[in-house]
Amino acid sequence: MSAASCMFSKEQFLCSICLDVFTDPVSIPCGHNFCKSCVTHHWDVNAPCQCPLCSKVFNSRPELHVNTFISEMAAQFRQTAVKKCNRMSLKKNTNSGEVLCDVCTESKLKALKSCLMCLTSYCETHLENHQNITGRMKHELVDPVENLQDRMCESHGRPLEMFCKMDQMCVCRRCTESNHKLHCIVPLMEQFEKKKAELSETETEIQKMIEKRHLKIQEMKDSVELSRADTDREKSDSVQVFTALIRSVEEGLAQLLDLLEEKQKTTEEKAEGFIKELEDEISELMKRNTEVEQLLSTEDHLQFLQNLPSLNPDHPPTEDWTEVRVHSSYEGMMRSAVAQLEKKLSEEVKNQLESELRRIQQYAVDITLDPDTTSPFLILSDDGKQVYYGKRQNLPDNPERFSKTVCVLGKQSISAGKFYFEVQVKNKSRWDLGVVRGSINRKESISPRLETGPWILRLMNGGDYKAVGGVLLSLKSKPQKVGVFVDYEEGVVSFYDVDAAALIYSFTGCNFTEKLFPIFSTCLDDRAPLIITPVSQTQ
C-alpha cells in the first residue's frame, strides 16, 4: 500500500448504506459520500430527498458526479485486500508453523533464520547477503519466528531481551535504564529457563494427578465389576432360596390339601357304612311294622288273640345312634402345616445367615490394641489382643489417650471398603464394642449419636443388650463371641453372634467422612478380659 493510503483506514472508504468499500463514490451537497447506486436507490424509495446520514433535506435531487479521488483510494484498498488474501492463501499452502523469507519477491523460500535487529526473516541465500553487510554481522539471529514486531519494545524499538520481575513483563535494555531502572531485572533466558523448569514440575504434577485419576477410574471400574459379580451371585442365591421356599410352600399346601381330601374321603366312607346300617335297620323295622299293622287291622277278637302270640314281642336289633357323628374336625391341621413351613423357613434363614457371615468373614482384619489410646484403668496383654480392667496405671497423658472413659482403640483403621473382626466376650457382665471416628474427643465423656458415633453395641447388667442410641435388644441367647462388620461406602455397622451365626443389630444410613477405629470398653471391677480372636470360617 502507498504511503498516502497508510494515512487512512478502511472504515473511511465504506459506504454507510451498503457498508462496503465505495463503488463509483459520489459526494452530495452536505459533503457526505455514498455509492452512486446506493444513494440513487435510497432517494427513489424515500421522500423527501435528504441525506441518509445527516438528514439534510434538498429542494431538488442533486446532480451526482463520481468523486475520482475517493474512487482511486477505494480501488487501492480493494487491491490491498486482494494481495492480503493471496498472502494468506500462500501461508495456508505451506506446512504448519513454517516461516517464509521476507526478502524473496517471487516464489518465497523457507526462512533459515530471523534477525531480531532487522526484524526480518531470511532464506539461506538472503541470510548470506545479510551477514556480508558491514555492521550487521553482530545482529542477533534466532530460529525462524513469525510476528517479529511483537518481539520489539514498542517504546524504544529494541529487542525484548530482559525480564522485569516486579512488573512481570518483558523489557528491552533501555527500559531497564528508564521506567524499570530500580526494578529486579534478569536476562530473558534466565527467566525462561526458571519458569520452564517450574512449568515442567507443574506438568509432572499434573501428569501424576492424571495418572492417579486414571487409576481411580480403573479402581471404580473394577469395583463396579466386583459389585456386578456380587449382585449376580446374590441374585442367583436369592432366586435359589426363594424358589426353594416357594417349592416348600407349594409342597406344604399340596400335602395339606391331600390330607384334607383323605380325611373327607374317610368321613364319606364312614358315613356310607352308617347309612347302610341305618337302612338295614329301617328295613327290619318296616317288616315288623307291617306285621303289626296287619294284626291291628283284624277285627275278629278270637283271631286277634290267637295270632298275637305269633308276633315277636321284641323289636328288631338296632343301634343307639344318638351320639353317632360323621362331621370331621379340621382344627389344628392348617396350624400344624404352617408350623412345619415356619420350621423350614427358620432353617433356611439360619442357612442364609451362616452364608452371609461366611462372606463377611472374608473381610477379616488382624486387629491389635493401641497402647497409646488405653485408659489408665485398662491393662493390655503383651500381644495386644486382650484388655481387662485393673488398677490405675501411671501413664503419660498424651492427646491420643482416653481420660474419662474406660476405652481403648485398635491400631488398624478403615477409610474405604469393608472390614471385620471378632471379639470373645465370654464371662463378662458388661462391655462396649464397635467403631468410632478417629477425631473423637478422648478427654471428655462420650455421648453416642447415630450421626457422629461411636457406633457401639453394649452389654449391661449381665444380660441387657443395647444398640447405643437408645435401641434395647431382645436376644434368644447370650453371645460368647461377637463379630463386628463395617461397610464404609454403604454406611453400615453390623454386629453378629458368631456361634449362632445370627445378626444381632445393624446401624444403617451412617455418613462416614473420616477414618474409623475399632473401640473396646470393659466395666469397672470386671476382671474377665475382652479377647480379639482369630477369624475362622463359620462351618
Side-chain angles (χ1 to χ4, degrees):
M1 185 182 293
S2 67
S5 63
C6 290
M7 298 171 59
F8 301 95
S9 65
K10 179 179 178 181
E11 286 72 16
Q12 293 175 284
F13 298 93
L14 296 181
C15 173
S16 59
I17 297 177
C18 66
L19 302 178
D20 201 353
V21 179
F22 289 122
T23 301
D24 297 329
V26 296
S27 298
I28 61 177
C30 62
H32 292 122
N33 304 301
F34 306 95
C35 294
K36 183 176 182 180
S37 59
C38 292
V39 71
T40 299
H41 180 265
H42 179 77
W43 285 341
D44 289 341
V45 298
N46 294 285
C49 183
Q50 60 182 11
C51 175
L53 279 178
C54 65
S55 300
K56 181 176 178 61
V57 179
F58 307 110
N59 295 327
S60 59
R61 181 178 292 195
E63 186 176 355
L64 301 177
H65 299 281
V66 175
N67 187 319
T68 55
F69 174 77
I70 297 176
S71 180
E72 290 174 0
M73 294 300 295
Q76 287 188 31
F77 272 104
R78 287 196 185 89
Q79 292 175 3
T80 301
V82 171
K83 289 179 180 179
K84 184 177 181 180
C85 182
N86 290 338
R87 286 199 301 272
M88 293 296 291
S89 177
L90 178 61
K91 285 187 177 182
K92 289 181 180 178
N93 290 331
T94 60
N95 294 331
S96 176
E98 187 176 280
V99 180
L100 302 179
C101 177
D102 291 327
V103 182
C104 293
T105 56
E106 298 298 332
S107 176
K108 289 185 175 293
L109 300 178
K110 180 180 178 181
L112 185 63
K113 292 289 183 180
S114 293
C115 177
L116 296 181
M117 302 297 291
C118 300
L119 299 181
T120 306
S121 296
Y122 299 99
C123 63
E124 184 176 4
T125 301
H126 291 112
L127 178 62
E128 185 177 351
N129 294 336
H130 171 274
Q131 291 177 319
N132 289 334
I133 297 175
T134 304
R136 293 187 180 181
M137 298 178 64
K138 295 183 179 181
H139 285 191
E140 184 178 358
L141 298 175
V142 297
D143 290 335
V145 292
E146 295 181 346
N147 305 322
L148 285 169
Q149 288 290 347
D150 295 340
R151 296 175 174 268
M152 303 301 291
C153 176
E154 294 182 357
S155 300
H156 304 108
R158 303 281 294 177
L160 298 172
E161 51 187 341
M162 309 297 289
F163 186 83
C164 176
K165 288 190 173 183
M166 182 176 294
D167 295 328
Q168 291 293 302
M169 63 182 295
C170 300
V171 297
C172 71
R173 293 189 179 275
R174 287 188 181 179
C175 289
T176 63
E177 300 170 357
S178 55
N179 297 339
H180 303 268
K181 187 173 183 179
L182 300 178
H183 295 180
C184 180
I185 305 295
V186 296
L188 198 64
M189 183 58 69
E190 178 182 328
Q191 184 70 8
F192 163 75
E193 291 177 350
K194 178 183 177 181
K195 292 299 180 182
K196 189 173 183 180
E198 292 177 357
L199 196 60
S200 178
E201 292 179 359
T202 301
E203 180 188 24
T204 302
E205 291 177 1
I206 292 174
Q207 289 175 348
K208 289 181 179 178
M209 292 172 67
I210 292 172
E211 182 63 24
K212 284 183 179 179
R213 280 149 182 79
H214 279 309
L215 292 175
K216 193 64 179 178
I217 290 173
Q218 188 59 46
E219 178 186 330
M220 290 182 176
K221 288 182 178 179
D222 293 342
S223 296
V224 169
E225 290 301 318
L226 290 175
S227 177
R228 170 54 60 188
D230 290 343
T231 300
D232 291 341
R233 185 186 65 249
E234 199 67 26
K235 286 169 64 176
S236 177
D237 292 345
S238 298
V239 169
Q240 183 177 352
V241 169
F242 277 86
T243 300
L245 293 177
I246 292 171
R247 183 166 57 248
S248 296
V249 172
E250 291 176 343
E251 290 175 355
L253 177 60
Q255 290 174 2
L256 178 60
L257 295 178
D258 289 342
L259 185 60
L260 292 172
E261 286 294 330
E262 184 66 27
K263 194 164 187 178
Q264 177 64 23
K265 183 179 180 181
T266 301
T267 300
E268 291 177 357
E269 291 176 350
K270 187 176 181 180
E272 289 176 357
F274 290 155
I275 292 171
K276 179 66 171 60
E277 290 183 29
L278 287 169
E279 288 176 344
D280 291 342
E281 289 184 359
I282 291 172
S283 178
E284 291 298 323
L285 290 171
M286 288 182 67
K287 289 180 180 179
R288 175 58 60 87
N289 188 60
T290 301
E291 293 175 354
V292 171
E293 287 179 349
Q294 290 177 352
L295 189 58
L296 288 174
S297 63
T298 303
E299 295 297 334
D300 187 335
H301 299 84
L302 179 62
Q303 187 179 4
F304 175 84
L305 293 174
Q306 289 176 343
N307 293 332
L308 183 60
S310 63
L311 184 66
N312 192 344
D314 298 324
H315 295 306
T318 59
E319 298 287 341
D320 183 4
W321 297 95
T322 305
E323 302 298 330
V324 176
R325 299 286 188 274
V326 293
H327 176 68
S328 297
S329 175
Y330 299 101
E331 292 294 332
M333 294 184 64
M334 185 172 67
R335 183 167 58 250
S336 176
V338 171
Q340 291 180 5
L341 180 61
E342 183 179 9
K343 182 180 178 181
K344 288 184 178 180
L345 290 176
S346 297
E347 291 175 355
E348 188 58 44
V349 169
K350 187 175 185 299
N351 292 336
Q352 290 307 306
L353 286 173
E354 291 176 353
S355 176
E356 178 184 342
L357 185 57
R358 284 195 296 272
R359 289 199 300 270
I360 288 174
Q361 287 173 331
Q362 297 174 3
Y363 300 101
V365 176
D366 185 15
I367 301 295
T368 53
L369 301 171
D370 186 355
D372 291 336
T373 67
T374 307
S375 164
F377 290 97
L378 294 180
I379 299 175
L380 306 185
S381 61
D382 293 338
D383 62 0
K385 297 294 185 180
Q386 300 186 30
V387 57
Y388 58 92
Y389 176 79
K391 184 178 178 180
R392 180 182 175 87
Q393 304 173 83
N394 186 18
L395 300 175
D397 189 20
N398 54 285
E400 296 81 13
R401 192 175 309 284
F402 286 95
S403 299
K404 292 191 176 182
T405 52
V406 187
C407 297
V408 61
L409 299 185
K411 290 183 179 180
Q412 291 70 25
S413 64
I414 180 175
S415 57
K418 305 176 180 69
F419 85 169
Y420 174 82
F421 61 94
E422 294 178 352
V423 181
Q424 180 179 301
V425 296
K426 185 178 180 181
N427 298 325
K428 291 197 64 64
S429 60
R430 175 170 177 170
W431 47 258
D432 290 351
L433 287 177
V435 291
V436 64
R437 295 179 302 150
S439 63
I440 188 172
N441 188 338
R442 305 174 193 192
K443 305 303 179 183
E444 300 291 338
S445 298
I446 298 176
S447 299
R449 296 195 316 176
L450 178 61
E451 296 80 8
T452 58
W455 297 272
I456 290 175
L457 181 68
R458 172 174 293 168
L459 168 65
M460 302 176 295
N461 305 321
D464 298 330
Y465 294 89
K466 181 179 180 182
V468 174
V471 181
L472 294 175
L473 306 175
S474 177
L475 306 186
K476 294 181 179 180
S477 61
K478 185 175 181 179
Q480 302 298 300
K481 185 185 293 185
V482 175
V484 182
F485 172 70
V486 177
D487 187 330
Y488 196 92
E489 281 73 22
E490 292 297 325
V492 173
V493 181
S494 298
F495 301 88
Y496 292 85
D497 182 338
V498 177
D499 297 327
L503 175 66
I504 299 174
Y505 186 78
S506 285
F507 293 99
T508 59
C510 305
N511 183 22
F512 302 138
T513 58
E514 57 181 277
K515 287 184 178 180
L516 301 179
F517 291 83
I519 185 170
F520 309 81
S521 178
T522 182
C523 69
L524 304 179
D525 301 326
D526 186 346
R527 300 289 179 171
L530 288 173
I531 304 174
I532 301 172
T533 59
V535 176
S536 58
Q537 291 288 315
T538 302
Q539 298 300 320

